[in-house]
Amino acid sequence: MALVASVLIILFVSLVTPKLSALSSNYYQNTCPTAEYAITKIVRDATKKDNTIPAALLRLHFHDCFIRGCDASVLLNSKKNTAEKDGPANLSLHAFFVIDAAKKAVEALCPGIVSCADILALAARDAVVAAGGPYWDVPKGRKDGRVSRASETSKLPSPTFDLSQLQQSFSQRGLSTDDLVALSGGHTLGFSHCSSFQNRIQNFNSTHDIDPSIHPSLAGSLRSICSGKNKAKNAGTSMDPSSTVFDNTYYKQILQNKGLFSSDQALLAHPKTKSLVNKYASSKEAFYKAFANSMIRMSSITGGQEVRRDCRIAN
Ligand code: HEM
Ligand SMILES: *[C@@H]1O[C@H](CO)[C@@H](O)[C@H](O)[C@H]1NC(C)=O
Ligand SMILES: *[C@@H]1O[C@H](CO)[C@@H](O)[C@H](O)[C@H]1NC(C)=O
């Protein structure tokens, strides 16, 4: 009986666990033991020259994982089809050159071994560390995909989403509401263009011009940045006041109604998500721990088939 029960339990667990493929921490231990350090060094050096690099690398990995799994489809160049990187929602995707440099370094050490998808996952972790955030051990062994379609970027969550739309977008990828709240903390880094929060500061709905859930002083400053004759080309603002430092300021801002996107402020909409926002706002350690765990879960959504020789071109 005990045997039957345990077989059933194993069967059940394997059915309900989302695509957790055979990734492992020591995947390149024998085939390319120095790859990881080479990537870390390139990310660290690039960050020293330009402190906006960590944000870009973290977002690249997120976009990669949310479309076709973490298969480096976000890195492919357009050919006959327009690729993800040239599609809508590519605003502020940058730092591709850092991934190219990392691939070049790793190919010189051990040609044809390390996938571009693994390089992205490692670079995202190194980016968070370079910005002062937590370290985690990255499981490796992802394969690269052969397809990238601009049209599929419409499957990314939108900054205008409410809580249930966000939950749906995450659960479709095997990610929980806890993952949603922790991973949204990635918005402690980086920059946003006006178009991403324009919905909140003008023509919000038929009764309110401005989203009533946005702090009036923030609304005022966003409106002055994003409208009028002085509006700069590529106008926008930093994601939080300490946007090159990976800290828990993002959650503190939300508690003051100073989240930038509807999707950020939406985390207060339910008691469960609100209590997590409270927890991470009051404990950087709790945020770091949750973020690292959720990053491992997000970056374990796999999808590819090959190890690309050039991250921009399928073999
Ligand atoms: C929860 C759903 C999410 C939505 C709706 C969302 C949306 C956005 C939008 C609209 C931007 C600004 C683009 C621009 O105007 O230039 C942005 C930037 C960014 N996002 Fe998200 N995002 C989400 C989740 C995530 C996750 C899970 C991460 C990483 C863990 C992440 C990391 C970033 C970073 C670092 C930036 C700044 C990029 C830069 O400065 O180069 N986002 N996001
Ligand atoms: C984003 O897409 C536009 C075309 O829609 C393209 O011109 C631009 O180069 C793309 N940006 C990046 C970083 O690839
Ligand atoms: C506009 O938004 C506010 C705040 O979310 C809401 O209370 C109000 O009912 C909305 N008005 C309409 C017409 O949807």
Side-chain angles (χ1 to χ4, degrees), residues 191-255:
F191 182 86
S192 165
H193 295 83
C194 293
S195 56
S196 303
F197 51 82
Q198 197 74 41
N199 68 307
R200 305 186 73 198
I201 55 172
Q202 209 175 12
N203 296 325
F204 177 67
N205 68 16
S206 60
T207 48
H208 292 76
D209 188 35
I210 297 179
D211 182 346
S213 74
I214 196 169
H215 192 289
S217 75
L218 179 64
S221 74
L222 295 179
R223 272 168 81 111
S224 73
I225 293 166
C226 298
S227 57
K229 60 179 182 336
N230 295 325
K231 184 180 171 184
K233 192 168 167 274
N234 293 324
T237 188
S238 50
M239 304 285 280
D240 83 10
S242 53
S243 66
T244 60
V245 181
F246 194 96
D247 58 15
N248 61 343
T249 307
Y250 168 81
Y251 298 100
K252 297 180 187 173
Q253 293 288 109
I254 291 176
L255 290 179

Short mmCIF file of all heavy atoms in Angstrom, two decimals, residues 191-255:
data_model
loop_
_atom_site.label_atom_id
_atom_site.label_comp_id
_atom_site.label_asym_id
_atom_site.label_seq_id
_atom_site.Cartn_x
_atom_site.Cartn_y
_atom_site.Cartn_z
N PHE A 191 14.57 52.48 -16.33
CA PHE A 191 13.95 53.68 -16.88
C PHE A 191 12.69 53.31 -17.63
O PHE A 191 12.61 52.24 -18.22
CB PHE A 191 14.96 54.34 -17.85
CG PHE A 191 14.48 55.62 -18.46
CD1 PHE A 191 14.66 56.83 -17.81
CD2 PHE A 191 13.85 55.61 -19.71
CE1 PHE A 191 14.22 58.02 -18.38
CE2 PHE A 191 13.42 56.80 -20.29
CZ PHE A 191 13.61 58.01 -19.63
N SER A 192 11.71 54.19 -17.61
CA SER A 192 10.50 53.98 -18.40
C SER A 192 10.19 55.20 -19.26
O SER A 192 10.36 56.35 -18.83
CB SER A 192 9.32 53.73 -17.47
OG SER A 192 8.12 53.87 -18.19
N HIS A 193 9.71 54.93 -20.46
CA HIS A 193 9.26 56.01 -21.34
C HIS A 193 7.82 56.41 -20.99
O HIS A 193 7.06 55.60 -20.45
CB HIS A 193 9.36 55.56 -22.79
CG HIS A 193 10.76 55.30 -23.23
ND1 HIS A 193 11.39 54.09 -22.98
CD2 HIS A 193 11.67 56.08 -23.85
CE1 HIS A 193 12.63 54.15 -23.45
NE2 HIS A 193 12.82 55.34 -23.98
N CYS A 194 7.46 57.64 -21.36
CA CYS A 194 6.12 58.16 -21.03
C CYS A 194 5.00 57.23 -21.52
O CYS A 194 3.98 57.08 -20.85
CB CYS A 194 5.94 59.55 -21.65
SG CYS A 194 7.01 60.79 -20.89
N SER A 195 5.19 56.64 -22.67
CA SER A 195 4.11 55.82 -23.25
C SER A 195 3.68 54.70 -22.31
O SER A 195 2.54 54.25 -22.37
CB SER A 195 4.57 55.23 -24.59
OG SER A 195 5.76 54.49 -24.41
N SER A 196 4.57 54.27 -21.42
CA SER A 196 4.25 53.15 -20.54
C SER A 196 3.34 53.53 -19.37
O SER A 196 2.75 52.65 -18.74
CB SER A 196 5.54 52.51 -20.00
OG SER A 196 6.36 52.11 -21.08
N PHE A 197 3.24 54.82 -19.06
CA PHE A 197 2.34 55.23 -17.97
C PHE A 197 1.41 56.37 -18.38
O PHE A 197 0.70 56.94 -17.55
CB PHE A 197 3.14 55.60 -16.71
CG PHE A 197 4.26 56.58 -16.93
CD1 PHE A 197 4.00 57.94 -16.99
CD2 PHE A 197 5.57 56.13 -17.10
CE1 PHE A 197 5.03 58.85 -17.22
CE2 PHE A 197 6.61 57.03 -17.32
CZ PHE A 197 6.34 58.39 -17.38
N GLN A 198 1.40 56.68 -19.67
CA GLN A 198 0.56 57.77 -20.19
C GLN A 198 -0.91 57.58 -19.82
O GLN A 198 -1.63 58.53 -19.53
CB GLN A 198 0.71 57.84 -21.73
CG GLN A 198 0.23 59.13 -22.36
CD GLN A 198 1.17 60.29 -22.09
OE1 GLN A 198 2.39 60.15 -22.15
NE2 GLN A 198 0.62 61.46 -21.75
N ASN A 199 -1.36 56.31 -19.80
CA ASN A 199 -2.77 56.02 -19.48
C ASN A 199 -3.19 56.58 -18.13
O ASN A 199 -4.37 56.83 -17.90
CB ASN A 199 -3.01 54.49 -19.51
CG ASN A 199 -2.28 53.76 -18.38
OD1 ASN A 199 -1.07 53.91 -18.20
ND2 ASN A 199 -3.00 52.98 -17.59
N ARG A 200 -2.23 56.74 -17.22
CA ARG A 200 -2.57 57.14 -15.85
C ARG A 200 -2.63 58.65 -15.67
O ARG A 200 -3.20 59.12 -14.69
CB ARG A 200 -1.55 56.58 -14.86
CG ARG A 200 -1.37 55.08 -14.96
CD ARG A 200 -0.47 54.57 -13.88
NE ARG A 200 -1.12 54.59 -12.58
CZ ARG A 200 -0.48 54.54 -11.42
NH1 ARG A 200 0.85 54.51 -11.40
NH2 ARG A 200 -1.15 54.55 -10.29
N ILE A 201 -2.01 59.39 -16.58
CA ILE A 201 -1.88 60.83 -16.34
C ILE A 201 -2.69 61.69 -17.30
O ILE A 201 -2.69 62.91 -17.18
CB ILE A 201 -0.38 61.27 -16.36
CG1 ILE A 201 0.31 60.85 -17.65
CG2 ILE A 201 0.35 60.72 -15.14
CD1 ILE A 201 1.72 61.41 -17.80
N GLN A 202 -3.39 61.06 -18.22
CA GLN A 202 -4.22 61.81 -19.16
C GLN A 202 -5.34 60.93 -19.69
O GLN A 202 -5.06 59.78 -20.07
CB GLN A 202 -3.34 62.26 -20.32
CG GLN A 202 -3.80 63.53 -20.96
CD GLN A 202 -2.82 63.98 -22.03
OE1 GLN A 202 -1.94 63.23 -22.44
NE2 GLN A 202 -2.98 65.20 -22.47
N ASN A 203 -6.59 61.45 -19.70
CA ASN A 203 -7.74 60.66 -20.20
C ASN A 203 -7.83 59.30 -19.54
O ASN A 203 -8.02 58.30 -20.21
CB ASN A 203 -7.63 60.45 -21.72
CG ASN A 203 -7.70 61.76 -22.47
OD1 ASN A 203 -8.41 62.68 -22.06
ND2 ASN A 203 -6.96 61.85 -23.56
N PHE A 204 -7.65 59.25 -18.22
CA PHE A 204 -7.64 57.96 -17.52
C PHE A 204 -8.95 57.21 -17.78
O PHE A 204 -8.94 56.08 -18.24
CB PHE A 204 -7.41 58.17 -16.03
CG PHE A 204 -7.48 56.90 -15.23
CD1 PHE A 204 -6.52 55.91 -15.40
CD2 PHE A 204 -8.49 56.69 -14.32
CE1 PHE A 204 -6.58 54.73 -14.67
CE2 PHE A 204 -8.57 55.51 -13.58
CZ PHE A 204 -7.61 54.52 -13.76
N ASN A 205 -10.09 57.85 -17.45
CA ASN A 205 -11.38 57.29 -17.87
C ASN A 205 -12.38 58.44 -17.99
O ASN A 205 -11.99 59.61 -17.86
CB ASN A 205 -11.84 56.14 -16.95
CG ASN A 205 -12.19 56.60 -15.54
OD1 ASN A 205 -12.38 57.79 -15.29
ND2 ASN A 205 -12.29 55.64 -14.63
N SER A 206 -13.64 58.12 -18.20
CA SER A 206 -14.58 59.20 -18.52
C SER A 206 -14.87 60.12 -17.33
O SER A 206 -15.33 61.25 -17.52
CB SER A 206 -15.88 58.62 -19.09
OG SER A 206 -16.46 57.77 -18.13
N THR A 207 -14.58 59.64 -16.12
CA THR A 207 -14.83 60.51 -14.95
C THR A 207 -13.56 61.11 -14.36
O THR A 207 -13.62 62.11 -13.64
CB THR A 207 -15.58 59.74 -13.84
OG1 THR A 207 -14.92 58.50 -13.62
CG2 THR A 207 -17.03 59.47 -14.23
N HIS A 208 -12.42 60.52 -14.63
CA HIS A 208 -11.16 61.01 -14.06
C HIS A 208 -10.12 61.21 -15.17
O HIS A 208 -9.82 60.27 -15.90
CB HIS A 208 -10.58 60.01 -13.05
CG HIS A 208 -11.39 59.86 -11.80
ND1 HIS A 208 -12.56 59.15 -11.75
CD2 HIS A 208 -11.17 60.35 -10.54
CE1 HIS A 208 -13.04 59.19 -10.51
NE2 HIS A 208 -12.23 59.91 -9.77
N ASP A 209 -9.55 62.40 -15.23
CA ASP A 209 -8.48 62.63 -16.19
C ASP A 209 -7.21 61.92 -15.71
O ASP A 209 -6.46 61.35 -16.49
CB ASP A 209 -8.23 64.14 -16.32
CG ASP A 209 -7.26 64.46 -17.46
OD1 ASP A 209 -7.30 63.74 -18.48
OD2 ASP A 209 -6.47 65.41 -17.32
N ILE A 210 -6.99 61.96 -14.39
CA ILE A 210 -5.79 61.34 -13.79
C ILE A 210 -6.21 60.16 -12.93
O ILE A 210 -7.20 60.23 -12.20
CB ILE A 210 -5.04 62.38 -12.93
CG1 ILE A 210 -4.55 63.53 -13.81
CG2 ILE A 210 -3.85 61.74 -12.20
CD1 ILE A 210 -3.81 64.61 -13.06
N ASP A 211 -5.48 59.08 -12.99
CA ASP A 211 -5.73 57.89 -12.16
C ASP A 211 -5.75 58.32 -10.69
O ASP A 211 -4.74 58.80 -10.16
CB ASP A 211 -4.59 56.89 -12.43
CG ASP A 211 -4.76 55.59 -11.66
OD1 ASP A 211 -5.59 55.53 -10.72
OD2 ASP A 211 -4.05 54.62 -12.01
N PRO A 212 -6.90 58.14 -10.00
CA PRO A 212 -6.95 58.57 -8.60
C PRO A 212 -6.02 57.79 -7.68
O PRO A 212 -5.75 58.23 -6.56
CB PRO A 212 -8.42 58.35 -8.19
CG PRO A 212 -9.06 57.61 -9.29
CD PRO A 212 -8.18 57.61 -10.50
N SER A 213 -5.49 56.64 -8.14
CA SER A 213 -4.59 55.89 -7.27
C SER A 213 -3.13 56.36 -7.37
O SER A 213 -2.24 55.78 -6.76
CB SER A 213 -4.68 54.38 -7.58
OG SER A 213 -4.05 54.08 -8.79
N ILE A 214 -2.89 57.42 -8.14
CA ILE A 214 -1.50 57.91 -8.23
C ILE A 214 -1.35 59.14 -7.33
O ILE A 214 -2.23 60.01 -7.29
CB ILE A 214 -1.15 58.23 -9.71
CG1 ILE A 214 0.35 58.37 -9.93
CG2 ILE A 214 -1.82 59.49 -10.20
CD1 ILE A 214 0.70 58.42 -11.41
N HIS A 215 -0.27 59.21 -6.58
CA HIS A 215 -0.04 60.34 -5.68
C HIS A 215 -0.02 61.64 -6.49
O HIS A 215 0.66 61.71 -7.51
CB HIS A 215 1.28 60.13 -4.95
CG HIS A 215 1.51 61.07 -3.80
ND1 HIS A 215 1.76 62.41 -3.97
CD2 HIS A 215 1.48 60.85 -2.47
CE1 HIS A 215 1.91 62.98 -2.79
NE2 HIS A 215 1.73 62.05 -1.86
N PRO A 216 -0.76 62.68 -6.03
CA PRO A 216 -0.86 63.91 -6.81
C PRO A 216 0.51 64.52 -7.18
O PRO A 216 0.68 65.03 -8.29
CB PRO A 216 -1.65 64.86 -5.91
CG PRO A 216 -2.38 63.97 -4.97
CD PRO A 216 -1.58 62.72 -4.82
N SER A 217 1.47 64.45 -6.27
CA SER A 217 2.76 65.06 -6.61
C SER A 217 3.47 64.28 -7.71
O SER A 217 4.10 64.87 -8.60
CB SER A 217 3.65 65.19 -5.37
OG SER A 217 4.17 63.92 -5.01
N LEU A 218 3.34 62.95 -7.69
CA LEU A 218 3.95 62.16 -8.76
C LEU A 218 3.22 62.43 -10.07
O LEU A 218 3.85 62.63 -11.12
CB LEU A 218 3.92 60.66 -8.43
CG LEU A 218 4.51 59.75 -9.52
CD1 LEU A 218 6.00 60.02 -9.73
CD2 LEU A 218 4.31 58.27 -9.19
N ALA A 219 1.89 62.46 -10.02
CA ALA A 219 1.12 62.74 -11.23
C ALA A 219 1.54 64.07 -11.84
O ALA A 219 1.76 64.17 -13.06
CB ALA A 219 -0.37 62.75 -10.92
N GLY A 220 1.72 65.07 -10.99
CA GLY A 220 2.12 66.39 -11.47
C GLY A 220 3.47 66.35 -12.16
O GLY A 220 3.64 66.91 -13.25
N SER A 221 4.43 65.68 -11.53
CA SER A 221 5.76 65.70 -12.15
C SER A 221 5.77 64.85 -13.44
O SER A 221 6.42 65.22 -14.41
CB SER A 221 6.84 65.28 -11.17
OG SER A 221 6.81 63.91 -10.93
N LEU A 222 5.01 63.74 -13.45
CA LEU A 222 4.98 62.94 -14.68
C LEU A 222 4.32 63.73 -15.82
O LEU A 222 4.77 63.67 -16.97
CB LEU A 222 4.23 61.63 -14.45
CG LEU A 222 4.88 60.64 -13.48
CD1 LEU A 222 4.02 59.38 -13.32
CD2 LEU A 222 6.30 60.27 -13.89
N ARG A 223 3.28 64.48 -15.47
CA ARG A 223 2.61 65.27 -16.51
C ARG A 223 3.55 66.34 -17.08
O ARG A 223 3.54 66.60 -18.28
CB ARG A 223 1.34 65.92 -15.97
CG ARG A 223 0.13 65.02 -16.11
CD ARG A 223 -1.03 65.55 -15.32
NE ARG A 223 -1.76 66.61 -16.00
CZ ARG A 223 -3.00 66.47 -16.48
NH1 ARG A 223 -3.62 65.31 -16.38
NH2 ARG A 223 -3.62 67.46 -17.05
N SER A 224 4.36 66.92 -16.21
CA SER A 224 5.24 67.96 -16.75
C SER A 224 6.37 67.37 -17.60
O SER A 224 6.82 67.98 -18.55
CB SER A 224 5.76 68.88 -15.65
OG SER A 224 6.72 68.22 -14.89
N ILE A 225 6.78 66.14 -17.26
CA ILE A 225 7.82 65.49 -18.08
C ILE A 225 7.24 65.06 -19.44
O ILE A 225 7.91 65.12 -20.46
CB ILE A 225 8.38 64.24 -17.36
CG1 ILE A 225 9.16 64.63 -16.11
CG2 ILE A 225 9.27 63.41 -18.28
CD1 ILE A 225 9.46 63.45 -15.18
N CYS A 226 5.98 64.62 -19.41
CA CYS A 226 5.43 63.92 -20.57
C CYS A 226 4.47 64.71 -21.43
O CYS A 226 3.87 64.15 -22.36
CB CYS A 226 4.74 62.63 -20.11
SG CYS A 226 5.86 61.47 -19.31
N SER A 227 4.25 65.98 -21.12
CA SER A 227 3.34 66.72 -22.00
C SER A 227 3.87 68.13 -22.21
O SER A 227 4.83 68.55 -21.59
CB SER A 227 1.94 66.76 -21.40
OG SER A 227 1.99 67.33 -20.12
N GLY A 228 3.22 68.84 -23.10
CA GLY A 228 3.60 70.22 -23.32
C GLY A 228 4.71 70.38 -24.34
O GLY A 228 5.29 69.40 -24.81
N LYS A 229 5.00 71.62 -24.62
CA LYS A 229 5.93 71.88 -25.71
C LYS A 229 7.38 71.56 -25.33
O LYS A 229 8.23 71.43 -26.19
CB LYS A 229 5.79 73.34 -26.20
CG LYS A 229 6.07 74.40 -25.13
CD LYS A 229 5.92 75.80 -25.76
CE LYS A 229 6.21 76.97 -24.86
NZ LYS A 229 6.12 76.86 -23.43
N ASN A 230 7.64 71.42 -24.04
CA ASN A 230 9.01 71.11 -23.63
C ASN A 230 9.31 69.62 -23.57
O ASN A 230 10.38 69.21 -23.15
CB ASN A 230 9.31 71.72 -22.27
CG ASN A 230 9.28 73.23 -22.33
OD1 ASN A 230 9.68 73.81 -23.34
ND2 ASN A 230 8.78 73.86 -21.27
N LYS A 231 8.31 68.80 -23.96
CA LYS A 231 8.51 67.36 -23.87
C LYS A 231 9.73 66.93 -24.70
O LYS A 231 9.81 67.19 -25.89
CB LYS A 231 7.26 66.62 -24.37
CG LYS A 231 7.39 65.12 -24.21
CD LYS A 231 6.17 64.36 -24.70
CE LYS A 231 6.49 62.87 -24.70
NZ LYS A 231 5.43 62.04 -25.24
N ALA A 232 10.67 66.28 -24.02
CA ALA A 232 11.89 65.86 -24.70
C ALA A 232 11.63 64.61 -25.54
O ALA A 232 10.70 63.85 -25.26
CB ALA A 232 12.97 65.56 -23.65
N LYS A 233 12.47 64.42 -26.55
CA LYS A 233 12.43 63.18 -27.32
C LYS A 233 12.79 62.04 -26.36
O LYS A 233 13.67 62.19 -25.52
CB LYS A 233 13.47 63.29 -28.43
CG LYS A 233 13.37 62.22 -29.49
CD LYS A 233 14.25 62.59 -30.71
CE LYS A 233 14.41 61.41 -31.64
NZ LYS A 233 15.52 60.52 -31.28
N ASN A 234 12.13 60.91 -26.45
CA ASN A 234 12.36 59.78 -25.54
C ASN A 234 12.14 60.14 -24.07
O ASN A 234 12.79 59.58 -23.19
CB ASN A 234 13.79 59.24 -25.69
CG ASN A 234 14.00 58.59 -27.02
OD1 ASN A 234 13.09 57.95 -27.56
ND2 ASN A 234 15.18 58.76 -27.59
N ALA A 235 11.24 61.07 -23.81
CA ALA A 235 10.99 61.49 -22.43
C ALA A 235 10.50 60.32 -21.58
O ALA A 235 9.86 59.39 -22.07
CB ALA A 235 9.96 62.61 -22.40
N GLY A 236 10.81 60.42 -20.29
CA GLY A 236 10.39 59.37 -19.36
C GLY A 236 11.01 59.61 -18.01
O GLY A 236 11.52 60.70 -17.74
N THR A 237 10.97 58.58 -17.18
CA THR A 237 11.49 58.76 -15.83
C THR A 237 12.07 57.46 -15.30
O THR A 237 11.81 56.38 -15.86
CB THR A 237 10.37 59.29 -14.90
OG1 THR A 237 10.94 59.64 -13.64
CG2 THR A 237 9.30 58.23 -14.66
N SER A 238 12.83 57.57 -14.22
CA SER A 238 13.41 56.35 -13.65
C SER A 238 12.32 55.55 -12.92
O SER A 238 11.32 56.11 -12.47
CB SER A 238 14.55 56.70 -12.72
OG SER A 238 14.15 57.67 -11.81
N MET A 239 12.51 54.23 -12.86
CA MET A 239 11.48 53.35 -12.32
C MET A 239 11.26 53.60 -10.82
O MET A 239 10.16 53.46 -10.32
CB MET A 239 11.87 51.89 -12.54
CG MET A 239 12.13 51.54 -13.99
SD MET A 239 10.62 51.41 -14.94
CE MET A 239 10.12 49.81 -14.48
N ASP A 240 12.33 53.90 -10.10
CA ASP A 240 12.17 54.36 -8.71
C ASP A 240 13.30 55.35 -8.42
O ASP A 240 14.19 55.52 -9.25
CB ASP A 240 12.03 53.18 -7.73
CG ASP A 240 13.35 52.56 -7.27
OD1 ASP A 240 14.44 53.13 -7.54
OD2 ASP A 240 13.31 51.51 -6.63
N PRO A 241 13.27 56.05 -7.28
CA PRO A 241 14.27 57.12 -7.08
C PRO A 241 15.72 56.61 -7.00
O PRO A 241 16.65 57.39 -7.17
CB PRO A 241 13.84 57.75 -5.75
CG PRO A 241 12.42 57.35 -5.56
CD PRO A 241 12.28 56.02 -6.20
N SER A 242 15.90 55.31 -6.74
CA SER A 242 17.26 54.77 -6.69
C SER A 242 17.39 53.70 -7.79
O SER A 242 17.61 52.53 -7.51
CB SER A 242 17.53 54.16 -5.32
OG SER A 242 16.51 53.22 -4.98
N SER A 243 17.24 54.16 -9.03
CA SER A 243 17.01 53.21 -10.13
C SER A 243 18.25 52.49 -10.65
O SER A 243 18.16 51.67 -11.55
CB SER A 243 16.33 53.93 -11.29
OG SER A 243 17.22 54.88 -11.81
N THR A 244 19.42 52.79 -10.09
CA THR A 244 20.59 51.99 -10.46
C THR A 244 21.00 51.06 -9.32
O THR A 244 21.99 50.35 -9.42
CB THR A 244 21.80 52.86 -10.86
OG1 THR A 244 22.15 53.68 -9.73
CG2 THR A 244 21.49 53.75 -12.05
N VAL A 245 20.24 51.10 -8.23
CA VAL A 245 20.55 50.26 -7.06
C VAL A 245 19.42 49.25 -6.87
O VAL A 245 18.25 49.62 -6.82
CB VAL A 245 20.69 51.13 -5.78
CG1 VAL A 245 21.03 50.25 -4.58
CG2 VAL A 245 21.74 52.20 -5.99
N PHE A 246 19.80 47.99 -6.74
CA PHE A 246 18.80 46.95 -6.53
C PHE A 246 18.45 46.89 -5.05
O PHE A 246 19.13 46.25 -4.26
CB PHE A 246 19.32 45.59 -7.03
CG PHE A 246 18.21 44.57 -7.14
CD1 PHE A 246 17.59 44.35 -8.35
CD2 PHE A 246 17.78 43.87 -6.03
CE1 PHE A 246 16.55 43.43 -8.47
CE2 PHE A 246 16.74 42.95 -6.12
CZ PHE A 246 16.13 42.73 -7.35
N ASP A 247 17.37 47.59 -4.68
CA ASP A 247 16.95 47.62 -3.27
C ASP A 247 15.44 47.43 -3.20
O ASP A 247 14.81 47.07 -4.18
CB ASP A 247 17.40 48.95 -2.63
CG ASP A 247 16.83 50.17 -3.35
OD1 ASP A 247 15.87 50.01 -4.15
OD2 ASP A 247 17.34 51.28 -3.13
N ASN A 248 14.83 47.69 -2.04
CA ASN A 248 13.38 47.49 -1.90
C ASN A 248 12.59 48.79 -1.97
O ASN A 248 11.42 48.83 -1.55
CB ASN A 248 13.05 46.72 -0.61
CG ASN A 248 13.50 47.46 0.63
OD1 ASN A 248 14.31 48.38 0.54
ND2 ASN A 248 12.97 47.07 1.79
N THR A 249 13.21 49.85 -2.49
CA THR A 249 12.50 51.14 -2.61
C THR A 249 11.22 51.03 -3.43
O THR A 249 10.22 51.70 -3.15
CB THR A 249 13.43 52.20 -3.26
OG1 THR A 249 14.65 52.22 -2.52
CG2 THR A 249 12.81 53.57 -3.24
N TYR A 250 11.24 50.16 -4.46
CA TYR A 250 10.07 49.95 -5.30
C TYR A 250 8.81 49.71 -4.47
O TYR A 250 7.76 50.32 -4.72
CB TYR A 250 10.36 48.76 -6.23
CG TYR A 250 9.16 48.22 -6.98
CD1 TYR A 250 8.70 48.84 -8.15
CD2 TYR A 250 8.50 47.07 -6.54
CE1 TYR A 250 7.61 48.32 -8.85
CE2 TYR A 250 7.41 46.55 -7.23
CZ TYR A 250 6.97 47.18 -8.37
OH TYR A 250 5.89 46.67 -9.06
N TYR A 251 8.91 48.86 -3.46
CA TYR A 251 7.73 48.53 -2.64
C TYR A 251 7.34 49.69 -1.73
O TYR A 251 6.16 49.92 -1.48
CB TYR A 251 7.99 47.25 -1.82
CG TYR A 251 8.24 46.05 -2.72
CD1 TYR A 251 9.55 45.61 -2.97
CD2 TYR A 251 7.19 45.38 -3.34
CE1 TYR A 251 9.79 44.54 -3.80
CE2 TYR A 251 7.42 44.31 -4.18
CZ TYR A 251 8.72 43.88 -4.41
OH TYR A 251 8.95 42.83 -5.24
N LYS A 252 8.33 50.42 -1.24
CA LYS A 252 8.02 51.59 -0.41
C LYS A 252 7.27 52.63 -1.23
O LYS A 252 6.36 53.29 -0.72
CB LYS A 252 9.32 52.19 0.15
CG LYS A 252 10.06 51.25 1.09
CD LYS A 252 11.34 51.89 1.62
CE LYS A 252 12.14 50.88 2.42
NZ LYS A 252 13.45 51.39 2.83
N GLN A 253 7.67 52.78 -2.48
CA GLN A 253 6.99 53.73 -3.36
C GLN A 253 5.53 53.34 -3.56
O GLN A 253 4.63 54.18 -3.52
CB GLN A 253 7.69 53.78 -4.73
CG GLN A 253 9.09 54.36 -4.70
CD GLN A 253 9.05 55.85 -4.47
OE1 GLN A 253 9.42 56.33 -3.40
NE2 GLN A 253 8.60 56.60 -5.46
N ILE A 254 5.28 52.05 -3.78
CA ILE A 254 3.91 51.59 -4.01
C ILE A 254 3.03 51.91 -2.80
O ILE A 254 1.89 52.37 -2.94
CB ILE A 254 3.89 50.08 -4.32
CG1 ILE A 254 4.52 49.83 -5.69
CG2 ILE A 254 2.46 49.53 -4.29
CD1 ILE A 254 4.63 48.36 -6.04
N LEU A 255 3.58 51.71 -1.60
CA LEU A 255 2.81 52.00 -0.39
C LEU A 255 2.45 53.48 -0.27
O LEU A 255 1.49 53.84 0.39
CB LEU A 255 3.58 51.54 0.85
CG LEU A 255 3.69 50.02 1.03
CD1 LEU A 255 4.49 49.69 2.28
CD2 LEU A 255 2.32 49.35 1.07
#
